[in-house]
Amino acid sequence: MENIKPGQYVEVTYDLYVGEANEQELMEQATKENPLRFVFGHDQMLPAFEKNLNGLQPGDKFDFVILCNDAYGEYDKDHVLELDKQMFEINGVFDKEVIYEGNVVPMMDANGNRLNGSVLQVKENTVVMDFNHPLAGEDLHFIGEVCVVREAAPEDLRPSCGGGCGGCGGCGGSDCNEGNCGGGCN
């Protein structure tokens, strides 16, 4: 049997819980039908996630917590911004099909970095956006099992945007933070 090490293709199932130890909420699941798939050591996952899986074999179970500072960091109020509503106009008309409370919108900062913003509130002249990761400020409790470990094939090395909270912190794709807390790509 193969052990998880850099360059190995890995599939795991897990339940991800967040919240206080006595009141944890199930945030996400990777099931046998839809496991988290990644190549170990290729910067696709949180370093702390990989550290906890290093050396495991198929059939091994895991149960670990990644503290928020080793995951997506503390929630930062400075990442909540009021943006001019005109930024969201198309041909002079506000885009209410995309910009509404609760929607996650792919955006780009002045340096060309892609980031997702969650619309908190639409006001008369501004839109309040939260650019924190959806799991910022949360400790991540993973309980799961290693399903597959094998040498990575060339097709495994192609970027994808698969789900999974062991993820790298989110990608620009719209599916990456909707039901998946940031796995897959950058």
Side-chain angles (χ1 to χ4, degrees), residues 123-137:
K123 296 182 175 182
E124 185 175 337
N125 296 314
T126 60
V127 176
V128 181
M129 302 282 295
D130 185 350
F131 290 100
N132 284 287
H133 187 280
L135 292 174

Side-chain angles (χ1 to χ4, degrees), residues 46 48-49 52 64-74 135-142:
L46 290 167
F49 184 83
N52 281 283
F64 59 84
V65 173
I66 300 175
L67 299 178
C68 76
N69 287 329
D70 292 325
Y72 300 104
E74 293 289 343
L135 292 174
E138 298 283 0
D139 294 338
L140 309 179
H141 183 188
F142 290 93

